[in-house]
Amino acid sequence: MSEDRWNTVLVLGGIRSGKSAFAESLVADAPSVRYVATAVGGEDDPEWLARIEAHQRRRPQSWSTEETGGDPARLATLLTEAKPDETLLVDDLGGWVASVLDPARQPNDDEADVTALAAAVRACAARLVLVSPEVGLSLVPVTPVGRAFADALGTTNQALAEACDGVALVVAGQPTWLKRETLAERKAQAVAAPAEPAVLSSAPPSVATPAPPAVSAPPPPPVLTPEPAIAAPTATEPATVTEPATVTEPTIAAPAAPAETPVRDVLTERTMTLPLVASGLTEIKPGMDLPMPSSDAGPDARDRLTDIDLPGAGLGTLAEAVEFAAATQETAVPRPWSSVRVLLIGGRHAGGAAAGADPFDVERRIAEAEAGTGLLGRLAGQAGADIAVLRTADAGAMEDGPVTDETTVEAALRQGWQLADAAADAGRDAVLLTGLGTGLEAVATAVLAATTGAEPVAMLPRVLLPGGRFDDHAWMVRCATIRDALHRIRQEPRGATDILRELGGPDLAAATGVLLGAAARRLPVLLDGPFGIAAGLVARDLAAQTRHWCLLPEAGTLALVKQGADVLGLTPVLQLGLDLGEGANALTVLPVLRTVVGLASALPVHPALLAEHGDAGLAGDNAENSAENSAEDSAEDSAEDSAEDSAEDDGTSA
């Protein structure tokens, strides 16, 4: 890791403060993580075991787990032996302190154990995140054992806070950085006290973007859908196409209302090659190393917003869209998305998941999208977007058994990847992922519950009927279906492909493939609704980098979307309370996002701040302009002098 990147971070927080989730978000971009568990005992405590299981469900499949057990020295050994290319997450130090204070180890020099651990943290070559409880804000324990634990944990936290590059305190899910040293401060400290170990961070945790090579496109899967049907564009309706399974070079007419800004050349952007198997084909599997957006351009763009010439206080929450666009375009002055493709994936789920759904009404809406009419067609036309519709194979009843087979899952993943490839090859600079079908909300709820431990009854949306009425009986049937499905898979593996096979189906597998392919092509993805959120949760277990290429334009009204977005670390740009259906919310606010990104890029620095911005860039520009003006003036003067001399010479000759 370069010297201006963080290496070790201590995350503090109280019980249920969100400290573990925040720590996991710091390492979510790592291809693989070694999760070091320190908890000891609790085998006879169901509530404690439930807490441990909830933590296990949150971890991606690519992570490995190691337990230190009752040996405190084991943790220091793990940190000392870690390699520079590894990432470790230790959760939490409360279990480690309990092991140190174990009566079976007494008498013992506990302070020596703390000193050894702090030294191991300083010497750790790997990227390291430590989680520790903060108990110093409560009353002094009334028992000797409680006081000993609080004192030992406080001493440990102080020692490790001194040893770590960064320290964050999480309260009510909100992190606050307590320690963030600058590079200049670290160098000054190193010069003043060379005996001290070097500190390796200058900012809150961020990841340098690698310079990746080109990606190998997955091979075409078996054809699962009919030939594409192309609709001619009108003044307000987009050109649309129903994509077949072999998505190579789809023929789609230009959007009816393109934006004024030029289309970014996505065909020449950097991509990354995935691991190849013996057959020479790209293998979609957990732990894929996909590109990351720029870790510097986004914060630079947000900092620039404070200086641009605005009469008001700023863009508010819309700054999130500017920062996202800057990071994904790798520039502090991003362009608004001018050519967006809506990827609509249609699927049908059997059994109780589809209770209360009208398959004929769903088919009507898919047909309207194919024809470029209806709500999605109208909104896409106004936004200058086109629509690509993919119909996938039907999925079985999740309560009865696996909804599809392994072969279909793999084919659908590649199919979705090709949809993203086709959008990038067509020059689109962003895609909007949406789904339409029977049972999608129940499937998304089941996936959220299976991957995060969320309570399905609290997450499942009510079943809305035409006329604004709700079918509560159908909702109860869906709840029972999800309950039975989760009970059925309680002993089954819960990797990404397992979830897709058991619960998700071909449509969610295709959506997951879209996110993977878009990340490989550095293509931003707008998510909108339960379907896209569920795909993001599954894609996270295959490649953690995918979530960094996703933006949630509008929060909507569904608890399912808000909970899933929180797990993925996605902050909604707007919270207007729209409930127009999958994809329609994002299309409605897309013109607003384009406007703010364009304003942020076009507006100059406020004139009153120009004098304060006497940086190298401005000085360089002034010097360059002065040099050009001087050269031009010299050339003009030289030409005038030459002309005068010639005239005098001619007169003399005459």
Side-chain angles (χ1 to χ4, degrees), residues 386-403:
D386 59 7
I387 303 177
V389 180
L390 171 66
R391 295 175 182 266
T392 61
D394 294 348
M398 68 169 75
E399 65 269 34
D400 296 336
V403 298

Side-chain angles (χ1 to χ4, degrees), residues 223-314:
V223 176
L224 303 178
T225 56
E227 290 298 317
I230 304 174
T234 63
T236 60
E237 297 172 351
T240 63
V241 61
T242 302
E243 296 288 355
T246 52
V247 186
T248 53
E249 296 182 0
T251 305
I252 304 179
E260 296 180 359
T261 53
V263 177
R264 188 180 57 167
D265 187 10
V266 297
L267 300 179
T268 61
E269 298 218 347
R270 297 179 298 169
T271 54
M272 178 169 284
T273 302
L274 298 178
L276 300 181
V277 296
S279 64
L281 306 179
T282 300
E283 183 180 8
I284 299 179
K285 63 178 182 180
M288 290 189 295
D289 189 12
L290 297 180
M292 280 281 292
S294 171
S295 59
D296 298 324
D300 290 346
R302 185 178 283 271
D303 292 342
R304 183 179 179 275
L305 294 179
T306 61
D307 297 338
I308 61 176
D309 189 7
L310 288 175

